[in-house]
Amino acid sequence: MNKTIKTTLRCLAIASLAVVSTGCAMLAPAPPDDQSNVCEIFREQPSWYDYARDSQKAWGTPIATQMAFIQQESSFRSHVRPPRSRLLGFIPWRRPSSARGYAQAQDPVWGEYEADAGGLFARRTHMKHATDFIGWYNRRTQQQTGVSLNNPEHLYLAYHEGQGGYRRGSYRSKPQVMRAARQVSSRAGRYQAQLSACEAEFQCRRFYQVWPFCRGKRR
């Protein structure tokens, strides 16, 4: 195979991947219109409640905290990535990190999640896996640092800095990270209050979920 054919095939492969990637992004759910109200978020995307509820059952992080994390990290955009830096001020260059998807998980820790809990078919661009990842990560934070799963501010600090960075207190020199953590905590509190008033809507909405035996019934 000569060099011209190889180059042509390589270009076609790259173009095909770009088309597939764009197509997946177009098929992904649009970000919720009202991100200040978790009830409205779940009314637009009721399956997201199921995913977050499953993650809560598996790992212990409250639904409201999971959704507050995702709002902070991606504003519920499935394929978002950090913007590229600019070489010479105008040439698109490297991205500052490998963060991607709803939870903005980076490649190394996502690989650990796949090996430990998610499996090879887990996708950062799917809400089911994003919520499960957050639950898995926060459980690890609890085990390694002692932070309560009911403390969204410090869970987020460890999420952003890593458990090692959290133990070292690296966030203390980063006021923007501390501010973001307070925002997550405040949002999680609002989401929890809202969810307390509307959660019954999402627990027994399917034909096979018959009250009081439906899968997500409140205790």
Side-chain angles (χ1 to χ4, degrees):
M1 186 180 295
N2 63 43
K3 186 175 180 180
T4 301
I5 295 175
K6 286 183 179 179
T7 301
T8 301
L9 290 175
R10 188 178 297 112
C11 291
L12 287 173
I14 293 171
S16 297
L17 286 172
V19 169
V20 170
S21 177
T22 302
C24 290
M26 291 177 64
L27 291 173
D33 293 329
D34 183 1
Q35 298 187 14
S36 68
N37 191 319
V38 78
C39 299
E40 294 303 321
I41 292 170
F42 288 147
R43 284 170 186 142
E44 285 192 39
Q45 300 294 338
S47 63
W48 290 3
Y49 171 83
D50 295 335
Y51 301 149
R53 179 69 171 180
D54 288 346
S55 176
Q56 178 181 271
K57 288 181 176 180
W59 306 109
T61 294
I63 293 171
T65 298
Q66 296 174 50
M67 302 309 284
F69 270 45
I70 291 172
Q71 200 287 327
Q72 182 70 34
E73 291 296 287
S74 66
S75 297
F76 300 101
R77 293 172 293 167
S78 61
H79 286 70
V80 68
R81 301 180 68 180
R84 293 182 183 276
S85 59
R86 298 282 172 172
L87 184 64
L88 302 178
F90 66 94
I91 301 173
W93 198 237
R94 299 185 181 90
R95 299 182 191 277
S97 80
S98 59
R100 182 155 57 92
Y102 286 117
Q104 288 294 282
Q106 298 191 44
D107 289 349
V109 71
W110 185 259
E112 294 176 33
Y113 165 70
E114 286 180 323
D116 186 56
L120 292 176
F121 297 103
R123 290 180 288 139
R124 282 173 276 189
T125 55
H126 196 295
M127 185 62 76
K128 176 180 177 64
H129 305 132
T131 53
D132 194 62
F133 171 80
I134 289 170
W136 169 84
Y137 193 91
N138 286 345
R139 172 65 65 83
R140 193 164 73 165
T141 292
Q142 179 195 44
Q143 293 170 340
Q144 295 184 11
T145 69
V147 172
S148 169
L149 294 176
N150 293 309
N151 186 341
E153 180 175 349
H154 282 261
L155 287 175
Y156 184 79
L157 290 171
Y159 189 82
H160 192 279
E161 298 296 291
Q163 288 91 7
Y166 177 82
R167 288 194 297 268
R168 293 190 300 273
S170 60
Y171 58 88
R172 295 191 182 97
S173 62
K174 300 176 181 179
Q176 73 280 9
V177 174
M178 296 177 68
R179 183 167 56 250
R182 290 193 296 270
Q183 291 171 346
V184 167
S185 181
S186 177
R187 187 176 297 113
R190 291 196 305 273
Y191 279 179
Q192 183 57 56
Q194 294 160 353
L195 190 61
S196 296
C198 71
E199 189 171 9
E201 293 180 35
F202 312 108
Q203 292 174 329
C204 299
R205 71 182 191 281
R206 300 184 186 277
F207 73 91
Y208 56 83
Q209 294 174 329
V210 181
W211 186 91
F213 306 106
C214 54
R215 174 167 54 86
K217 73 172 183 175
R218 296 170 75 175
R219 299 200 236 312

